Amino acid sequence: MSKKIFSGVQPTGNLHLGNYIGAIKNFVELQNQKNNECVFCVVDLHAITVKQNPKILKNNIRETTAAFLASGIDPKKSIIFNQSLVSAHSEGAWILGCVARMGWLNRMTQFKEKAGKDKEKASVGLYIYPVLMAADILLYDATHVPVGEDQKQHLELSRDIAQKFNLDYEAPNFLKVPEPLIQKKFSRIMSLKDGTKKMSKSDPSDLSRINMTDTKDQIVNKIKKAKTDPDLLPTTDKDFQKRPELENLLGIYSSMKSQSLLESINEFSGKNFSDLKEKLTEIIVENITPISNEINKLQKDSKFIDDVLYEGAQKAEEIATKKVKEIKKIIGF
Ligand code: AMP
Ligand code: TRP
């Protein structure tokens, strides 16, 4: 069955192994499956929900695009663009904001985490962030949305918004209710310094993550310093709950090697962490260094990247603007 795929990544710098394993690697696989129509968006309007430096933002938009391309997303097969080039996203977000309910948004855990203790000082944009995400998805009639586990709640909100719109305006099936595509395995890559915390762009410690632009030496050093525990590697996954760092490192290894966790457990059972770390370093370097080199190369040609985004935006605009027109008609404008 052909799928319409939409996904987005924020251009907030420090793209890391979690983004790669949880999202971008799947984008490439989906793109390469027959009959899928894919749209991959650099969601710069989402990025400004927290304060950004204009020069750095521009650079990050290009870097995220370069990471898409270097990972294997092909502008001949998929639409790649940045959100702010297609104003239909903002327009759609306003309209859908009038469909979404305060009560729904109040439940969003990402807002609570990002806004922290001082909610009064968070931007209104941060609060309605999931409504813009719903517009992204619904304007393209996306059937499937590949994301990491952390975005599941936002996707459920998109589904609720689509259903309420269709019901309120008596337009059955007009907005397509999207399915999340969340990998069962390795959908949450954790910090190298604390196996209970998500690997994140915003962690102040660079040692907590492998960045997509890290050099071989940086990768070697970060894995060497990654937190472990004093025990040997186990023969089963029985104690994983008590050993989150172990589970994470074995998970990263399995994902990079495209094998099951059980196969990795068998490969290392009874050995030391140092054996796992050695093999893990090798496989991360093997997978990430070519991408990192390509990102650096692409970033030197900002005109090429800007052209890819512009051409992608032309195609995206055609789809999104048509949908907004239909929405307006249904609403009575
Ligand atoms: P963001 O960087 O927050 O825009 O996330 C881009 C994509 O990467 C989303 O699909 C996230 O769910 C995914 N992602 C971010 N961090 C992780 C992580 N630590 N593990 C797995 N997936 C992640
Ligand atoms: N909110 C997503 C994240 O932080 C990014 C995003 C924006 C997105 N719009 C989207 C993901 C639409 C999937 C579909 O990771």
Side-chain angles (χ1 to χ4, degrees), residues 6-8 10 43 46 129 133 136-137 145 147 151:
F6 187 101
S7 196
Q10 294 193 64
V43 289
H46 279 106
Y129 173 116
M133 178 162 162
D136 296 342
I137 297 166
V145 181
V147 281
Q151 294 301 313

Side-chain angles (χ1 to χ4, degrees), residues 6-36:
F6 187 101
S7 196
V9 174
Q10 294 193 64
T12 34
N14 295 336
L15 267 187
H16 53 71
L17 199 60
N19 297 125
Y20 182 67
I21 295 175
I24 301 175
K25 191 163 167 266
N26 306 332
F27 297 176
V28 179
E29 278 162 24
L30 287 164
Q31 163 193 268
N32 294 336
Q33 282 166 18
K34 228 172 136 191
N35 296 329
N36 286 352

